[in-house]
């Protein structure tokens, strides 16, 4: 398996070089110490402490309820585990929209209290003042366009975005604006592959896709989805590499059986 061991620590500069060389970038979500340690040892380039923690870790229906304090808790847990990957923490809903001072305050808390390397936020032109202010404090910003789950009540559904010409054009303009403002990378979520490829070819910063086809510079998935820990979520773009839900359930069933039958602990498993 090819993990570039020469890279001691993935930085935004390293990611830029990877794009220039045409080397694909890997990104996965992480919310806790134990999982982050495995993902980092495997050689994932970017670990995203996503606000999808709201769904995956806390069981909420949307990403809206998760708080800044909770994101900092997850971020700090991941930071303690990681030696190589770049750690990006999502700014949660309500912590950056509308007021650039609030955006900067939220970011400073994430950088100081979690020890993150960068933040991610959703949106284009409408959040540009927040992006400028965060960047002016020297914090790298990752953009996020296309399906932006914090706006789910505006969209109404989780279906593919930017299929219509007007929305595709706005996305293209927003992507160029994010690059111009100084974002180091952009996530494109659930948009047509052709449009995502066009954006990746137009921009010199890395474009990471989720449900955005193979023509972008890297891929991101929610770790719990690709490992099959979550069960009911099965969008077309998701490749499941394991079925951990059933594997864990099977192991726990066996444990229950062993305890009940007094097979566990054996004489070797006691003092
Ligand atoms: O929160 C998250 O997991 C994300 C990814 C889907 C990109 O933003």
């Amino acid at each position: 398996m090819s993990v570039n061991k020469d890279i001691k620590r993935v930085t935004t500069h390293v990611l830029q070089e990877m794009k220039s060389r045409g080397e694909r970038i890997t990104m996965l979500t992480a919310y806790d110490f134990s999982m982050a340690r495995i993902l980092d040892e495997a050689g994932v380039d970017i670990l995203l402490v996503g606000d999808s923690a709201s769904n995956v870790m806390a069981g909420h229906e949307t990403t809206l309820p998760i708080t800044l304090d909770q994101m900092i808790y997850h971020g700090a847990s991941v930071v303690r585990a990681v030696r190589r990957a770049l750690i990006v923490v999502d700014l949660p809903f309500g912590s950056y929209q509308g007021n650039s001072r609030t955006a900067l305050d939220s970011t400073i808390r994430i950088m100081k209290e979690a020890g993150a390397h960068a933040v991610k936020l959703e949106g284009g032109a409408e959040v540009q003042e927040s992006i400028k202010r965060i960047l002016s404090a020297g914090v790298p910003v990752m953009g996020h366009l296309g399906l932006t789950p914090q706006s789910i009540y505006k969209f109404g559904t989780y279906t593919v975005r930017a299929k219509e010409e007007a929305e595709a054009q706005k996305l293209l303009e927003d992507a160029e604006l994010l690059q111009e403002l100084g974002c180091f990378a952009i996530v494109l979520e659930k948009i047509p592959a052709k449009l995502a490829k066009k954006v990746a070819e137009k921009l010199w910063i890395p474009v990471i896709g989720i449900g955005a086809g193979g023509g972008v510079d890297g891929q991101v998935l929610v770790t719990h989805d690709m490992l099959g820990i979550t069960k009911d979520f099965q969008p077309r773009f998701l490749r499941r590499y394991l079925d951990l839900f059933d594997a864990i359930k099977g192991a726990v069933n066996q444990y229950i059986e062993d305890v009940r039958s007094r097979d566990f602990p054996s004489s070797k498993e006691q003092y």
Side-chain angles (χ1 to χ4, degrees):
M1 217 229 328
S2 63
V3 176
N4 191 341
K5 298 280 185 196
D6 295 339
I7 300 173
K8 297 245 174 331
R9 184 106 225 180
V10 179
T11 61
T12 57
H13 183 66
V14 166
L15 298 173
Q16 188 55 63
E17 286 177 341
M18 287 174 79
K19 169 147 183 164
S20 309
R21 288 196 297 268
E23 212 176 300
R24 288 295 194 247
I25 296 164
T26 57
M27 172 162 149
L28 284 172
T29 60
Y31 319 108
D32 70 278
F33 177 88
S34 304
M35 185 68 84
R37 194 165 204 181
I38 299 170
L39 304 178
D40 190 50
E41 278 206 20
V44 178
D45 300 310
I46 307 172
L47 286 180
L48 172 66
V49 183
D51 59 358
S52 50
S54 180
N55 313 101
V56 173
M57 303 302 285
H60 292 296
E61 209 171 293
T62 72
T63 57
L64 276 67
I66 200 160
T67 65
L68 184 58
D69 282 340
Q70 288 164 341
M71 289 305 297
I72 289 169
Y73 168 80
H74 288 298
S77 306
V78 169
V79 166
R80 284 192 285 274
V82 169
R83 297 200 186 107
R84 179 182 176 278
L86 182 88
I87 302 165
V88 181
V89 175
D90 264 341
L91 280 164
F93 177 68
S95 72
Y96 64 93
Q97 295 98 335
N99 180 336
S100 64
R101 178 71 231 185
T102 307
L104 181 60
D105 290 345
S106 306
T107 300
I108 287 173
R109 284 200 61 203
I110 286 175
M111 300 304 282
K112 273 185 182 286
E113 296 175 42
H117 307 143
V119 294
K120 175 166 84 57
L121 50 75
E122 297 180 5
E126 57 286 354
V127 289
Q128 60 180 310
E129 292 312 316
S130 294
I131 293 174
K132 276 190 221 163
R133 194 127 181 201
I134 296 166
L135 287 167
S136 74
V139 178
V141 176
M142 177 180 266
H144 184 156
L145 300 171
L147 176 64
T148 47
Q150 291 178 13
S151 306
I152 186 58
Y153 292 115
K154 184 175 89 180
F155 298 145
T157 73
Y158 286 101
T159 52
V160 181
R161 303 303 314 174
K163 286 210 290 202
E164 306 302 329
E165 182 52 34
E167 195 179 341
Q169 187 54 36
K170 157 100 168 88
L171 187 142
L172 211 53
E173 284 165 16
D174 276 343
E176 285 182 303
L177 174 66
L178 293 182
Q179 172 173 274
E180 227 169 84
L181 291 172
C183 289
F184 74 93
I186 296 177
V187 166
L188 293 180
E189 181 165 354
K190 224 169 172 188
I191 63 167
K194 218 166 134 186
L195 174 63
K197 185 167 185 282
K198 193 169 164 187
V199 175
E201 284 170 356
K202 225 165 182 189
L203 301 192
W204 56 265
I205 59 172
V207 174
I208 317 283
I210 174 164
V216 289
D217 307 305
Q219 297 293 326
V220 56
L221 285 175
V222 170
T223 298
H224 289 60
D225 296 336
M226 63 86 84
L227 294 180
I229 298 173
T230 51
K231 220 175 157 51
D232 305 327
F233 184 62
Q234 191 58 70
R236 190 204 297 199
F237 68 77
L238 175 63
R239 185 178 293 183
R240 284 200 196 277
Y241 288 83
L242 275 177
D243 184 2
L244 271 188
F245 187 100
D246 285 338
I248 293 171
K249 195 171 149 197
V252 174
N253 284 153
Q254 186 63 54
Y255 167 74
I256 292 168
E257 203 179 304
D258 290 351
V259 171
R260 287 185 179 155
S261 68
R262 297 167 198 246
D263 177 78
F264 176 78
S266 69
S267 55
K268 284 190 188 144
E269 290 163 322
Q270 53 189 289
Y271 302 99

